[in-house]
Amino acid sequence: MATPETDPAPGTTGPVFTRWLVVLIPYVWLLIFFLIPFVLVFRISISNTEIAAPPYSPLFDVFGEGIAATLAKMSEWTLDNYGRLFTDSLYVEAYLNSVWIAGV
């Protein structure tokens, strides 16, 4: 007698592993092309700007400096870049213009 874990779904043939593989592929795709770019942009957004190349000072580099050094630098993290979005008229006007165009 076969167990439910090894029984293929009605109308399908194949082990459970292939069904998990079919489900896993889109999640890996999303991780690579959606989540990782968001992490990179967030990393840059909390950094301090500099006149250099790259134009920001990286505040954390887990792979280069290690976790201990990254945890020590957490006190330098700032959200001032996000505060500037609401206080600088350039960004406020650009946002309102985008909302206006999207509504038209």
Side-chain angles (χ1 to χ4, degrees), residues 4-104:
E5 296 170 356
T6 59
D7 283 344
T12 63
T13 58
V16 175
F17 174 73
T18 56
R19 287 187 286 171
W20 277 104
L21 187 63
V22 169
V23 172
L24 184 66
I25 290 173
Y27 283 109
V28 171
W29 182 269
L30 284 174
L31 177 73
I32 292 171
F33 293 107
F34 190 75
L35 186 61
I36 292 176
F38 271 120
V39 170
L40 293 175
V41 169
F42 177 73
R43 178 181 170 205
I44 292 171
S45 73
I46 63 170
S47 298
N48 296 323
T49 58
E50 288 185 0
I51 300 176
Y56 62 92
S57 60
L59 292 178
F60 63 92
D61 187 11
V62 175
F63 299 111
E65 298 174 349
I67 294 175
T70 300
L71 293 175
K73 285 187 169 185
M74 282 180 69
S75 63
E76 298 177 26
W77 293 6
T78 179
L79 297 176
D80 290 340
N81 296 337
Y82 291 106
R84 193 171 0 149
L85 288 174
F86 303 106
T87 58
D88 192 347
S89 64
L90 174 71
Y91 298 116
V92 172
E93 290 174 12
Y95 175 73
L96 294 175
N97 191 25
S98 297
V99 170
W100 173 255
I101 291 171
V104 172

